[in-house]
Amino acid sequence: MSRKKSFVKNFTKLLCKRELISVEDSLELPDEFSHRAKESFDNFLLSEGLVSKDDLLESLREYYQVPAFDAQGHFFQRSTVRLFPKIFLIKNVIIPIERDENMLIVLANDPTDHELLSKIGEFVSYDIHFRVGLYQDILNAVHEYYDASVTQITGKDIEESDIDYKDVVDKVD
């Protein structure tokens, strides 16, 4: 059984045990989700209205045995996020939350991924502590810190525009 299928099956059992879903739903959910392969299971549960975000985070905390963290609306430190390339964070569905001396706290959708520590170790030498978070919230946070602001002007933007850069500098001075 694949890692993803095993997670869906075991996590569904946990949701049933916590009485967040019915026994019938716990039997049907893995099959229903298998037809939506491009969607994360946590996003599937939320989009179907099967569990609340708070209950889902609490269930993930219990399942992975690490603290849960809600990334939505959190102000991540730009310098900490940029310790890693954007594609690395997206591919591994992680984002660093904070660093303190020799410790780095990392938010991960799957903090039990056995390869994650060594992958992170290719970029930093901190002692890593994990938190678990929602797939889409982590990806949204990564995009927020790497995508250009709509008000950001780059040198290329100025070159491609009809604006004379000298005029812009003169108006600022």
Side-chain angles (χ1 to χ4, degrees):
M1 182 180 304
S2 76
R3 182 175 168 94
K4 183 178 178 179
K5 284 183 181 181
S6 176
F7 167 75
V8 169
K9 181 180 174 188
N10 293 329
F11 193 69
T12 303
K13 285 180 183 177
L14 173 67
L15 293 174
C16 185
K17 179 183 131 200
R18 295 188 73 223
E19 298 180 356
L20 296 171
I21 61 172
S22 67
V23 174
E24 296 80 27
D25 283 344
S26 72
L27 298 173
E28 295 171 4
L29 280 177
D31 190 47
E32 283 182 42
F33 176 68
S34 69
H35 300 297
R36 297 167 92 171
K38 294 200 181 223
E39 189 174 19
S40 67
F41 191 57
D42 54 3
N43 195 48
F44 168 76
L45 292 168
L46 290 172
S47 67
E48 292 296 315
L50 297 167
V51 295
S52 71
K53 185 175 187 176
D54 289 339
D55 285 336
L56 182 55
L57 283 168
E58 180 58 26
S59 297
L60 287 168
R61 182 205 60 75
E62 184 176 336
Y63 182 83
Y64 287 114
Q65 295 295 300
V66 298
F69 185 86
D70 187 355
Q72 190 173 17
H74 179 75
F75 182 75
F76 293 87
Q77 295 174 321
R78 181 175 239 66
S79 61
T80 303
V81 173
R82 292 193 177 242
L83 290 171
F84 303 93
K86 178 182 179 181
I87 192 69
F88 175 80
L89 297 175
I90 290 170
K91 183 178 177 185
N92 293 287
V93 195
I94 64 168
I95 188 167
I97 299 173
E98 65 180 87
R99 61 182 161 164
D100 183 22
E101 293 182 23
N102 67 339
M103 180 180 68
L104 181 67
I105 299 174
V106 175
L107 182 61
N109 185 244
D110 180 0
T112 61
D113 179 346
H114 300 295
E115 297 176 8
L116 206 46
L117 277 176
S118 64
K119 289 177 182 179
I120 292 170
E122 293 177 21
F123 296 96
V124 297
S125 60
Y126 293 103
D127 183 23
I128 307 299
H129 295 267
F130 287 107
R131 304 292 182 264
V132 65
L134 302 180
Y135 182 92
Q136 196 58 54
D137 289 351
I138 294 170
L139 294 182
N140 289 345
V142 171
H143 287 296
E144 179 181 331
Y145 281 85
Y146 273 93
D147 292 348
S149 165
V150 293
T151 60
Q152 181 179 346
I153 298 174
T154 66
K156 185 177 179 185
D157 294 331
I158 293 171
E159 288 173 10
E160 293 176 352
S161 73
D162 294 331
I163 300 171
D164 183 359
Y165 179 70
K166 186 176 183 301
D167 290 341
V168 172
V169 173
D170 291 341
K171 289 179 185 175
V172 173
D173 292 339

